[in-house]
Amino acid sequence: MENVMRIDTIGQYNALNNNETLHPLVNIVDLSKADKRPNRRSNYGFYAVFLKEIKCGDLHYGCNYYDYEEGTLVFVGPGQVIGVENNGELYQPKGQALVFHPDLLKGTSLGRHITDYNFFSYEVHEALHLSESERKIIYDCYEKIRYELHRGIDKHSKTLIVSNIELLLNYCVRFYDRQFITRENVNKGILQKFEELLNEYFGSDKPRELGLPSVSFCADQLNLSANYFGDLIKKETGKSAQEYIQLKTMDVAKEKIFDTSKSVSEIAYELGFKYPQHFTRSFKQHVGYTPNEYRMLN
């Protein structure tokens, strides 16, 4: 496997793409100025929002399915690796990238809440696909940031730049909500697969071997990032993925409790609980009765 290219600063990224550094911590990079280059995998030390201006199928970052042929946003957080292995071919980068270093956000409202934007840890195939009107809004945010960069740094620059980044990210939250709705059929399929996965899990020896199913385990089995999976389940069911798993565990527990040949402790271990008392506590919390009380009622 080839080495991952580390790019730690905005200046390094600007130089790589033949763009001028107007501010050490932020830029709107015109990727079309970059020289042709081979595919490679990169690790960024900053946040990046790529606005691709080519058909989604041509994206070198790849995607599984798409709603719109152009105007795809890909989000990358610090430390995330993105890209594909070198296949020997050269390609011409296109589109624009908003790049900003975590240090830009220090002492700001956005800095305190940047981790709330889960899409920075989505997988690349979970990209945001924009409509024409949505793309115009993103362009407008980019242009406002670009204006501030070319105007020159003064005491207002940081506030205005960070405010426009926050505005852009808040629009992206709205657009992702729209995407979850417009992909309802895809999402329903994932929800069905999630349910089938839990049925298969509890019908096997995995609970004894691995414990209770985790959100990250389920997301991985469905080829989704944990954050995207969690957000999707929340939009579809109104419950977090963790709550959904807990409720499913209790449903399976209710069925098992009808088998009076097994003790509550046996059932607890079969479900993946490390300690029977944890099972009893969780069951009482969700059902309103202890397992033994529920068994007596039924």
Side-chain angles (χ1 to χ4, degrees), residues 187-223:
N187 296 346
K188 290 276 191 246
I190 292 170
L191 186 59
Q192 183 180 346
K193 288 178 181 176
F194 181 30
E195 184 70 23
E196 290 169 356
L197 174 67
L198 291 176
N199 287 335
E200 185 274 331
Y201 192 92
F202 284 116
S204 70
D205 292 328
K206 288 177 183 174
R208 283 187 180 275
E209 297 166 3
L210 305 175
L212 291 165
S214 66
V215 173
S216 59
F217 171 84
C218 293
D220 187 57
Q221 294 298 302
L222 297 170
N223 296 314

Side-chain angles (χ1 to χ4, degrees), residues 162-181:
V162 173
S163 294
N164 278 290
I165 293 173
E166 188 167 17
L167 178 64
L168 182 147
L169 297 180
N170 286 335
Y171 271 117
C172 291
V173 172
R174 169 186 278 179
F175 299 158
Y176 257 116
D177 280 352
R178 184 272 310 154
Q179 181 162 296
F180 282 124
I181 294 168

Side-chain angles (χ1 to χ4, degrees), residues 34-101:
D35 299 324
K36 284 189 175 183
R37 59 192 181 212
N39 291 308
R40 63 179 160 228
R41 300 171 76 237
S42 303
N43 182 325
Y44 299 124
F46 44 83
Y47 294 94
V49 182
F50 295 97
L51 175 57
K52 310 305 291 185
E53 297 166 348
I54 52 178
K55 287 188 178 180
C56 196
D58 298 328
L59 270 175
H60 280 266
Y61 300 121
C63 41
N64 286 348
Y65 40 73
Y66 52 91
D67 304 311
Y68 305 101
E69 289 194 327
E70 296 181 358
T72 301
L73 281 181
V74 175
F75 301 84
V76 184
Q80 205 172 345
V81 175
I82 192 170
V84 295
E85 297 292 342
N86 186 349
N87 61 3
E89 295 179 9
L90 298 179
Y91 77 99
Q92 176 61 55
K94 294 181 182 178
Q96 302 179 60
L98 163 63
V99 290
F100 57 98
H101 198 276

Side-chain angles (χ1 to χ4, degrees), residues 6-22:
R6 283 192 57 85
I7 309 170
D8 292 318
T9 69
I10 303 301
Q12 286 175 327
Y13 191 74
N14 290 335
L16 179 68
N17 293 287
N18 300 325
N19 277 240
E20 184 183 359
T21 298
L22 301 170

